[in-house]
């Protein structure tokens, strides 16, 4: 590459538009970027993740076509969107990110994302933040599906939510699909008081509340 002049601005802009990188504005005055595909595959978990009470799984409906795995790049693009959104808040703490796991803050609110085979898991502690966090992650996954999956089988996700009043160790017996969870208005995801206390954001750059990609 030394023999060629590389337009780095074009490359960075292309990767930003493709959600392959995100600006990293945490603890530095220099212009830095996060590229999830270059991160190590680590199994590290934060001390907070073991205490997370509220869990939601996003399962790719077409995973069987790829041997039960998510297509490459889906989790990394979600992380890029989350980090970009985190950058908007001056009080966001620096995220902790690996290739398959992340602890991210939207201002004072923290949540965890984890990739495992055919699903992405969202977990968090704050009941007040849960409805808003779910809405934002849903809209981000929809953006990824519309912009990069082009109507393929992975443009649909099956969403499962854990009831808050059941111990996390009994997860398999406590999970409802999105539609049933919504009908039952299970807490905290569809709790009326939580939604009242935390209005869902409608920033058009990230948050589009259409749920057309849900099964």
């Amino acid at each position: 590459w030394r023999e060629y002049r590389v337009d780095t601005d074009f490359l960075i802009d292309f990767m930003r538009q493709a959600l392959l990188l995100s600006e990293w504005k945490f603890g530095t005055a220099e212009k830095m970027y996060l590229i999830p595909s270059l991160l190590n595959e680590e199994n590290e978990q934060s001390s907070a993740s073991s205490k997370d009470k509220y869990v939601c799984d996003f399962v790719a409906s077409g995973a069987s076509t790829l041997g039960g795995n998510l297509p490459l790049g889906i989790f990394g693009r979600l992380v890029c969107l989350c980090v970009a959104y985190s950058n908007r808040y001056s009080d966001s703490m620096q995220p902790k990110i690996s290739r398959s796991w992340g602890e991210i803050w939207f201002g004072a609110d923290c949540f965890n994302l984890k990739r495992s085979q055919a699903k992405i898991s969202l977990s968090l502690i704050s009941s007040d933040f849960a409805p808003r966090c779910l809405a934002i992650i849903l809209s981000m996954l929809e953006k990824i599906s519309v912009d990069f999956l082009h109507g393929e089988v992975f443009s649909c996700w099956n969403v499962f939510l854990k009831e808050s009043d059941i111990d996390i160790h009994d997860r398999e017996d406590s999970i409802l699909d999105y539609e049933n969870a919504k009908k039952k208005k299970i807490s905290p995801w569809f709790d009326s008081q939580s939604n009242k206390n935390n209005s869902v954001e409608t920033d058009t750059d990230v948050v589009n509340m259409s749920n057309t990609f849900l099964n």
Side-chain angles (χ1 to χ4, degrees), residues 53-72:
K53 293 176 59 178
Y54 310 115
V55 179
C56 174
D57 290 333
F58 305 92
V59 181
S61 62
S64 59
T65 65
L66 287 179
N69 295 305
L70 290 170
L72 292 175

Side-chain angles (χ1 to χ4, degrees), residues 159-172:
V159 181
F160 301 93
L161 301 110
K162 176 184 174 295
E163 291 188 88
S164 63
D165 58 347
I166 301 178
D167 190 87
I168 194 167
H169 297 296
D170 298 323
R171 282 192 57 197
E172 297 303 323

Side-chain angles (χ1 to χ4, degrees), residues 56-210:
C56 174
D57 290 333
F58 305 92
V59 181
S61 62
S64 59
T65 65
L66 287 179
N69 295 305
L70 290 170
L72 292 175
I74 297 300
F75 184 76
R77 286 184 165 99
L78 178 59
V79 167
C80 281
L81 281 174
C82 288
V83 169
Y85 202 74
S86 179
N87 281 331
R88 300 180 178 202
Y89 296 89
S90 60
D91 57 340
S92 290
M93 294 181 63
Q94 179 171 306
K96 301 174 184 177
I97 308 288
S98 74
R99 188 174 292 188
S100 60
W101 177 84
E103 182 178 75
I104 304 170
W105 282 259
F106 291 165
D109 296 309
C110 177
F111 63 96
N112 288 276
L113 292 173
K114 183 179 180 181
R115 183 196 71 198
S116 56
Q117 293 189 325
K119 71 180 181 181
I120 295 172
S121 296
L122 162 70
S123 60
L124 66 164
I125 297 174
S126 171
S127 60
D128 289 339
F129 179 50
R132 175 170 162 258
C133 188
L134 173 62
I136 294 173
I137 298 301
L138 281 174
S139 66
M140 290 178 175
L141 286 173
E142 181 173 17
K143 175 179 174 59
I144 292 169
S145 297
V146 171
D147 291 356
F148 302 102
L149 299 180
H150 308 298
E152 298 295 328
V153 288
F154 283 101
S155 62
C156 290
W157 296 81
N158 298 304
V159 181
F160 301 93
L161 301 110
K162 176 184 174 295
E163 291 188 88
S164 63
D165 58 347
I166 301 178
D167 190 87
I168 194 167
H169 297 296
D170 298 323
R171 282 192 57 197
E172 297 303 323
D173 299 325
S174 65
I175 291 179
L176 298 176
D177 65 80
Y178 183 89
E179 290 302 327
N180 283 321
K182 189 175 182 180
K183 287 178 183 178
K184 288 185 64 176
K185 296 183 178 180
I186 66 168
S187 177
W189 308 104
F190 301 102
D191 182 73
S192 58
Q193 188 61 37
S194 294
N195 281 290
K196 181 178 179 181
N197 293 339
N198 288 272
S199 58
V200 174
E201 299 184 29
T202 56
D203 191 307
T204 55
D205 288 342
V206 178
V207 182
N208 179 346
M209 297 313 300
S210 170

Side-chain angles (χ1 to χ4, degrees), residues 20-40:
L20 298 175
L21 65 71
S22 179
E23 286 193 55
W24 187 266
K25 299 181 179 179
F26 305 96
T28 178
E30 298 181 51
K31 183 165 283 191
M32 299 182 68
Y33 299 92
L34 169 71
I35 304 178
S37 62
L38 298 182
L39 296 175
N40 293 327

